Each structure stands twice: as C-alpha cells, then as structure tokens.
Amino acid sequence: MKASRAGLLTAIAVISLSLAACGGGSAGESQGRDSQTVWKLAFNQTEDHPQYKAAKQLGELLDEATEGRYTVRPYANEQLGSQTQAIQNLSNGTIEMMWASSGTLENFNDDFIVFNLPYMFDSIDAQEAVLAQPEELQDLYTSLEDSKNITILTGVHAGVRNIYNRRQPIREPADLSGLKIRVQQSDSQVRMIELMGAVASPLDTGEIYSALQTGVLDGAENNETVYVSLKHSEVAPYYSYTRHLLIPDYLLVSTKALNEMSPQDRAALLELIPQVQQTANELFAEFVASSIEQGLATGVQFNDDVDVEAFKSSVQPLIADSVSTNESRQKMYQMVQEANAAHPA
Ligand code: GCU
C-alpha cells in the first residue's frame, strides 16, 4: 500500500516538474494533487549512495508526517547541476534542498575550513560524534541564511579520502611530485594537495572522468565509493591509502522554503533530520566495502603501504594557519580534539 502511494506521489512529482518546466514555475510551488509541495533535492552522486537513500526516505517520511502536504524528490548524478551550480540554484530559489560537501561551503564562510582540514578527525566515530552535536554547531549551520538563503539541517560522514592516479602507487610525498591531482573547489584543498607534493586542479565532479581519461589530470582524491561508482577506477587504477581527509557533507535547505512552512510542518521536518543523518551514516561502511570489492574485480591496485606520517607532517602549515585565527574556529577545533580523545584511531 505504501509503495503504490509513493509511486503515485512520484508520478505527481514528475507531472509537477513538467508543468513547472512548461510554465516557468518552481516545483517548490504548490501544484498537483492536494496542492502537495515537492521539494527538489540536488545530488551529485549515484542512486545507490547512502545520501540518495536517506533523501528518498526523508521524502516518504515527510509526506507521511505532513499528511501529504510536503515531500522531497532527490535527483542523482548532477541532474540538477554540479554541486557548485546547485548551490547557486538553492540560493536563488529554483531548488529547495541538496547535499553539499563542507569543502564547497568554505567559499562562503571560512569557518567551515576547520572540519575540512587534512588529518583533522582521528576516526569516523570522532567525526560522527562532532556532527551529532548540532546545537553546538548552530552558528555555523545558520551562518549562510542571510547571505545565501541556505540553512544547514545536518552533517554526515562522507567517506575517508585517499589519492588515486593513472601512473603508480603513492607511498610518500615525493611520489606525487609533478602529478596533477583534482581537488574540490576549495582553497584549503588546493593548498593541502600542494603541501602534499602535487599540482592542484580544482574541478566539479562530473568533469573528472574525461579529464583522467584524456590525461589532462593524473589523478584525484576521494573515497572508494566515488572512485568506483563514477568509474574513475577504470582510468586511474592506483588507489593509495593516504587517509588524508574525512570531510563532512551537509544537508542544505532553502531558508526561505523552510520559513514558508507552517510551524507544524517545519517541526515535523526538523524531527525527521536525526533519522536522515543516521541512515546516511549507517549505510556508508557497507557502500565502501562493496565498492572495494567491485574495484578489486576490475583490477584496481589498492595500496596501503603509505607513509601517512610524512603526509601528515607535510600539511601542518595549513592546519596551523587555519585554526588559530578566530574564536569560532578555535571552538570547532576544540570540539574535534575532545571527540578525538573519546574516539581514537
Ligand atoms: C564526495 C562528497 C561530495 C563531493 C565529492 C567531490 O563524494 O560526498 O559531496 O562533491 O566528494 O569530491 O566533489
């Protein structure tokens, strides 16, 4: 019964979308059966990703909790634009939600940098413990409301990032010398990869595969799931465990769309957020394991013989410059240190 209702809602969402496309309206406007409001959620990874599944679950639960007044429809594979384009679309009100990397957000508020620094979190549990304290992160989560129309609802684990490339296993910083490595559109990651020994090339996700294929890039850095599901593994088969970054992803919502909800519907949405966080976090380990299996089956060389300490000391200047400068960053840094002490590697 639940499935057919979801199917009906999906059909309505598609109709609303085509109406919106024809009439120039937004899918966030009330349209379709029972004036249901369908929020578009932009996502730059595949449909088997935990964040896609968590967003789908949110749509179903929100529909139930608001008696059909609201739902969320996720669009995978950059259908609504790259992450940087989607942020603009969210900001100008043409979409209502998205998953975004903390790396992308540091372009709007430097304080995001603290959780984006290399070797910041000692373990996945430490990262999740910090993200499980949204009340302590309220200043950060609301910091883009006035300037960008963006409210952050939650942060989730988004993998451990490692370096992969077309040429060779990477064991120490010298192995990266001269290699052109893709990073996210983030100043801290440009500096990070340079300090690690490579040449940085900031690009959107969708541009990476062909740049690797044609040799414009030598490599990139990401978790195993992105590496395998976006088929970078086929063109850059050396994946080396530098373990340099655990960078969170955040669930963003349009501040305006949030404010337009009735207090009752907004409370219903906010009550569902811990569930979204839990689903996205819990499914991640399994997704990594199946990605590694798939990578091995297609001939990837996973290399764990890496001098992590050498990479760690190479990036110390970035960490020193980034955390010492203001009070809110120091507070975030302190949260990380406490979580690291409670959840060591
Ligand atoms: C990860 C992360 C995304 C990010 C991507 C990237 O997949 O979850 O939010 O956009 O890496 O490196 O671009």
Side-chain angles (χ1 to χ4, degrees):
M1 203 170 103
K2 204 158 174 261
S4 63
R5 180 162 164 71
L8 178 62
L9 293 177
T10 308
I12 290 164
V14 170
I15 293 164
S16 305
L17 266 176
S18 22
L19 287 176
C22 297
S26 142
E29 287 169 10
S30 296
Q31 292 177 19
R33 184 188 60 91
D34 296 334
S35 301
Q36 183 171 53
T37 299
V38 181
W39 279 359
K40 287 188 271 185
L41 183 150
F43 186 50
N44 68 352
Q45 307 292 323
T46 55
E47 289 182 2
D48 48 4
H49 194 288
Q51 291 171 15
Y52 182 87
K53 293 181 181 167
K56 235 180 137 48
Q57 181 190 43
L58 174 63
E60 286 160 14
L61 294 175
L62 186 63
D63 176 28
E64 259 172 51
T66 61
E67 294 166 338
R69 286 185 293 280
Y70 280 90
T71 192
V72 172
R73 175 149 197 227
Y75 291 80
N77 301 311
E78 296 189 334
Q79 282 176 75
L80 300 180
S82 70
Q83 207 169 86
T84 38
Q85 288 161 341
I87 288 185
Q88 288 314 315
N89 294 339
L90 184 69
S91 196
N92 66 29
T94 51
I95 64 169
E96 291 77 22
M97 289 187 117
M98 68 180 290
W99 285 108
S101 170
S102 184
T104 320
L105 295 182
E106 77 184 39
N107 295 317
F108 309 122
N109 174 1
D110 286 350
D111 288 352
F112 281 95
I113 283 179
V114 179
F115 298 163
N116 306 351
L117 291 169
Y119 302 107
M120 180 62 20
F121 296 100
D122 287 350
S123 65
I124 296 173
D125 285 348
Q127 184 189 43
E128 291 186 356
V130 167
L131 298 172
Q133 303 171 67
E135 50 311 322
E136 297 296 325
L137 299 170
Q138 266 320 290
D139 286 351
L140 187 73
Y141 284 6
T142 55
S143 65
L144 305 177
E145 291 187 339
D146 293 341
S147 59
K148 287 272 149 195
N149 182 42
I150 290 172
T151 301
I152 295 177
L153 292 174
T154 190
V156 297
H157 171 65
V160 181
R161 296 172 82 104
N162 302 289
I163 300 229
Y164 51 91
N165 77 98
R166 291 157 46 98
R167 295 175 189 276
Q168 69 211 20
I170 301 300
R171 298 198 169 84
E172 54 184 8
D175 295 333
L176 281 176
S177 176
L179 296 194
K180 208 164 172 201
I181 302 293
R182 178 269 176 176
V183 291
Q184 294 187 66
Q185 316 262 10
S186 126
D187 288 347
S188 72
Q189 286 176 51
V190 168
R191 177 135 185 248
M192 171 194 77
I193 215 73
E194 287 171 356
L195 288 168
M196 288 170 80
V199 178
S201 177
L203 280 182
D204 277 327
T205 305
E207 298 170 301
I208 304 170
Y209 180 88
S210 63
L212 285 171
Q213 195 182 33
T214 55
V216 169
L217 281 177
D218 296 300
E221 52 81 56
N222 217 316
N223 61 62
E224 299 90 335
T225 75
V226 172
Y227 176 56
V228 171
S229 65
L230 300 184
K231 306 204 185 312
H232 301 171
S233 49
E234 290 176 2
V235 282
Y238 299 100
Y239 190 95
S240 298
Y241 280 99
T242 44
R243 297 195 167 83
H244 57 280
L245 268 185
L246 272 90
I247 199 168
D249 280 336
Y250 296 112
L251 180 63
L252 315 187
V253 65
S254 148
T255 309
K256 181 165 170 281
L258 194 62
N259 289 340
E260 280 169 1
M261 290 179 114
S262 70
Q264 181 198 355
D265 286 344
R266 188 163 50 243
L269 168 69
L270 298 179
E271 220 169 279
L272 296 173
I273 298 307
Q275 176 68 64
V276 177
Q277 185 185 43
Q278 193 184 334
T279 300
N281 283 342
E282 276 181 6
L283 295 178
F284 212 94
E286 195 184 306
F287 193 35
V288 169
S290 65
S291 301
I292 293 174
E293 223 173 277
Q294 219 181 310
L296 285 170
T298 54
V300 167
Q301 285 193 36
F302 289 102
N303 162 43
D304 215 349
D305 172 24
V306 175
D307 186 351
V308 169
E309 288 309 316
F311 283 107
K312 229 185 226 183
S313 57
S314 74
V315 296
Q316 287 314 305
L318 169 61
I319 296 171
D321 289 351
S322 306
V323 289
S324 59
T325 43
N326 77 18
E327 211 181 298
S328 49
R329 278 185 241 169
Q330 275 167 23
K331 184 184 155 203
M332 289 167 72
Y333 183 69
Q334 199 45 45
M335 281 178 82
V336 176
Q337 297 319 307
E338 281 162 22
N340 283 344
H343 306 277

